[in-house]
Amino acid sequence: KPEKPTNNTTKQSSWVSPDWLTSLAQSLSIGKDDSNIPIANAKLEDVSELLGGALFLPLFKWMQEYGPIYRLAAGPRNFVVVSDPAIAKHVLRNYGKYAKGLVAEVSEFLFGSGFAIAEGQLWTVRRRAVVPSLHKTYLSVIVDRVFCKCAERLVEKLKTNALNGSAVNMEENFSQLTLDVIGLALFNYNFDSLTTDSPVIDAVYTALKEAEARSTDLLPYWKINALCKIIPRQIKAEKAVTLIRKTVEELINKCKEIVESEGERIDEEEYVNETDPSILRFLLASREEVSSIQLRDDLLSMLVAGHETTGSVLTWTAYLLSKDPSSLSKAQEEVDRVLQGRSPTYEDIKNLKFLTRCINESLRLYPHPPVLLRRAQVADVLPGNYKVYPGQDIMISVYNIHHSPQVWDRAEVFVPERFDLDGPMPNETNTDFRFIPFSGGPRKCIGDQFALLEAIVALAIFVQHMDFELVPDQNISMTTGATIHTENGLYMKVSQRQTKSAFAASSSSSR
Ligand code: HEM
């Protein structure tokens, strides 16, 4: 049973804190290291790669050299890198002993007191308030009203590219799709990013990029307020956050007025408002005692956590399928057989078994985020008798666990069938932490069902209507921030499928 959180504040340790000094002392090997943890002898070029690029790739290389746990000194920071399911399970389940640490530091400028980075009592209360909004009836309504509609809009847009033969950056399109989805699902707000540009959309991307950049900045100068006022990147980020917050605040105020004027109150289990099924509406109608600022920050946490992650899953699944024509045909045959040319309903999804396994397997090969961060709050002994001390930063490399030949057969190969087609949805519990794309323990993703449904629906509608192939000779290299993404986009040639795709206009308009 997870222990209770020990601190009840969202405030994170400042950069010059005892935690940080402990970490620095360990980096410089001051004091005796009795942890039993091997020290990785990182080369300078690898460390600079670690701080500026695809973080998880050198971590994988060092796992092969130093084993499933090692210590890495990266500039003034010191991390214990974990690539072992049993140690990951210990750290993730003992939430009271391990806080979010660095993640909270780099994203506080955007999340504020949002529950994705909060700790202690505030986190407990807010997570408990939000989770009930993602109930089964909500998900089934959202499948139809949001997931299908947005994916159909994407297909309509791609048909133009199919006609004029232009190459499409699918990463960008999937990112726009998932932004539209999360805006509608959270606030009933249409970013309409698939077809328009707007300052709010730019602001969301600017803020995400800033969080990403902060996670790899060697010196966190952004902790000094005065510098944030003069450095152009920080001025831009602050403007972006102000605009996003203002937009969300306005949505909250508008929705509050409606809920008040209608005297709306949740009066049944799995409540959904017919005209506005959003999570915001549910939370307001539930009449929890919560400030508008807290509500804003919680919703922003979900916007960020739910947007690029699902977009990246779609990007890499499309990539994997484009490299594996037999899996693509199998997925298309299944979609044609189950859906008979129409869009999926909530009930159809359980029958899209192979397509679902393609998404599971994509999440294994490309987990988002590829690395989970934690900071020890107390001294502890990890499985295998490795000691950690308070303040120790820990990286759980989900990427390493998912790619380790000790954990998976043919770990590097895309094999959707490795997960039994008729078995349960693979998760951390039924794989004993060998498969942890949504993390595990008390801070596990709250949007896992939502994300899987969204990805299945979007991919089903995409492969139902489109054939696609990679534009040849493009360099598809990986980089990372909160998710694994490509460095230069994922360009594809798309063409409209002939088989059973006469769907659309009639069936979708009659839905
Ligand atoms: C947390 C992955 C989609 C909301 C997490 C964590 C992971 C994750 C790994 C845990 C991080 C940690 O342990 O430090 C993913 C992936 C997604 C996805 C791979 C898409 C495929 C979503 C969606 C939502 C969402 C759609 C919202 C509707 C959250 C929230 C947290 C979280 C609020 C923080 C939970 C807490 O700290 O209590 N996600 N997520 N995620 N996710 Fe997701």
Side-chain angles (χ1 to χ4, degrees), residues 11-28:
K11 203 169 171 322
Q12 300 304 317
S13 52
S14 78
W15 184 244
V16 186
S17 68
D19 284 358
W20 185 80
L21 289 175
T22 314
S23 182
L24 180 61
Q26 284 164 353
S27 294
L28 299 172

Side-chain angles (χ1 to χ4, degrees), residues 92 95 99-100 103 111 114-118 123-124 126-128 130-131 134 138-139 147 178 181-182 185-186 279 298-314 359 363 366-374 396 398 436-452 454-455 482-483:
L92 292 173
Y95 164 57
K100 287 241 165 172
V103 184
F111 288 143
F115 77 102
I117 57 166
W123 168 76
T124 311
R126 292 311 300 152
R127 181 161 170 131
R128 245 181 230 154
V130 172
V131 166
L134 290 150
Y138 165 77
L139 292 174
F147 298 168
T178 54
V181 164
I182 201 79
L186 281 181
I279 288 177
D298 288 338
L299 290 165
L300 267 179
S301 297
M302 293 171 79
L303 174 77
V304 174
H307 164 221
E308 282 290 336
T309 42
T310 323
S312 297
V313 175
L314 288 168
I359 289 165
L363 275 164
Y366 298 92
H368 314 284
V371 169
L372 301 175
L373 294 170
R374 292 292 187 271
I396 297 172
V398 180
I436 49 170
F438 294 106
S439 186
R443 300 216 64 155
K444 183 184 169 171
C445 179
I446 63 159
D448 56 344
Q449 303 283 332
F450 179 111
L452 285 169
E454 178 186 357
T483 67

Side-chain angles (χ1 to χ4, degrees), residues 271-467:
Y271 175 83
V272 176
N273 180 290
E274 272 302 306
T275 38
D276 171 2
S278 69
I279 288 177
L280 169 60
R281 185 73 175 238
F282 179 95
L283 292 176
L284 287 173
S286 73
R287 307 279 170 158
E288 290 272 350
E289 277 294 323
V290 58
S291 72
S292 290
I293 290 183
Q294 183 62 45
L295 194 54
R296 176 198 76 191
D297 290 349
D298 288 338
L299 290 165
L300 267 179
S301 297
M302 293 171 79
L303 174 77
V304 174
H307 164 221
E308 282 290 336
T309 42
T310 323
S312 297
V313 175
L314 288 168
T315 300
W316 291 109
T317 313
Y319 170 75
L320 290 163
L321 287 173
S322 70
K323 305 275 275 182
D324 181 356
S326 88
S327 288
L328 175 57
S329 325
K330 220 168 147 181
Q332 285 177 321
E333 276 160 26
E334 179 182 77
V335 165
D336 290 345
R337 176 171 40 78
V338 174
L339 302 181
Q340 298 290 321
R342 53 180 176 76
S343 286
T345 63
Y346 182 77
E347 284 307 312
D348 288 320
I349 289 169
K350 61 176 179 308
N351 298 320
L352 297 172
K353 295 180 182 181
F354 181 75
L355 189 92
T356 302
R357 293 300 179 244
C358 293
I359 289 165
N360 298 143
E361 181 66 342
S362 161
L363 275 164
R364 186 183 69 79
L365 288 167
Y366 298 92
H368 314 284
V371 169
L372 301 175
L373 294 170
R374 292 292 187 271
R375 183 171 290 156
Q377 303 297 290
V378 291
D380 194 19
V381 180
L382 302 173
N385 201 25
Y386 302 107
K387 291 183 190 152
V388 289
Y389 293 98
Q392 176 65 60
D393 279 314
I394 297 181
M395 284 184 182
I396 297 172
S397 175
V398 180
Y399 183 87
N400 284 2
I401 294 175
H402 287 186
H403 284 250
S404 168
Q406 266 75 50
V407 180
W408 295 97
D409 285 336
R410 295 202 290 155
E412 292 298 337
V413 190
F414 176 63
V415 189
E417 299 86 347
R418 76 171 69 240
F419 300 108
D420 181 4
L421 284 200
D422 294 312
M425 188 68 90
N427 60 31
E428 74 287 6
T429 314
N430 57 29
T431 64
D432 205 14
F433 281 70
R434 290 161 60 242
F435 181 67
I436 49 170
F438 294 106
S439 186
R443 300 216 64 155
K444 183 184 169 171
C445 179
I446 63 159
D448 56 344
Q449 303 283 332
F450 179 111
L452 285 169
L453 291 169
E454 178 186 357
I456 295 166
V457 168
L459 191 67
I461 294 179
F462 177 56
V463 303
Q464 182 178 39
H465 297 288
M466 307 314 278
D467 280 320

Side-chain angles (χ1 to χ4, degrees), residues 151-290:
E152 286 162 5
R153 275 209 291 271
L154 170 65
V155 163
E156 283 310 312
K157 182 181 168 192
L158 293 177
K159 282 181 187 167
T160 317
N161 299 97
L163 280 177
N164 65 26
S166 54
V168 200
N169 182 353
M170 286 310 301
E171 181 172 52
E172 186 180 50
N173 276 280
F174 285 136
S175 171
Q176 290 164 344
L177 166 74
T178 54
L179 182 59
D180 287 356
V181 164
I182 201 79
L184 287 164
L186 281 181
F187 331 104
N188 201 22
Y189 177 74
N190 193 356
F191 284 106
D192 203 7
S193 63
L194 270 169
T195 47
T196 53
D197 288 326
S198 91
V200 190
I201 300 166
D202 288 346
V204 170
Y205 285 110
T206 302
L208 286 173
K209 286 265 163 304
E210 177 59 26
E212 228 175 90
R214 285 185 182 204
S215 66
T216 52
D217 275 340
L218 191 53
L219 283 177
Y221 68 89
W222 28 263
K223 288 201 168 185
I224 301 164
N225 261 341
L227 286 181
C228 292
K229 304 277 175 240
I230 51 172
I231 292 176
R233 194 184 100 192
Q234 295 310 323
I235 296 172
K236 193 173 170 201
E238 196 175 314
K239 269 196 193 146
V241 172
T242 307
L243 177 60
I244 302 168
R245 286 184 170 163
K246 193 168 146 267
T247 309
V248 176
E249 278 161 17
E250 280 169 10
L251 291 168
I252 293 175
N253 290 339
K254 238 188 256 166
C255 192
K256 224 179 212 165
E257 270 172 34
I258 299 173
V259 170
E260 292 298 337
S261 72
E262 293 182 2
E264 188 179 1
R265 205 169 264 283
I266 291 184
D267 52 4
E268 58 181 315
E269 252 183 56
E270 307 219 335
Y271 175 83
V272 176
N273 180 290
E274 272 302 306
T275 38
D276 171 2
S278 69
I279 288 177
L280 169 60
R281 185 73 175 238
F282 179 95
L283 292 176
L284 287 173
S286 73
R287 307 279 170 158
E288 290 272 350
E289 277 294 323
V290 58

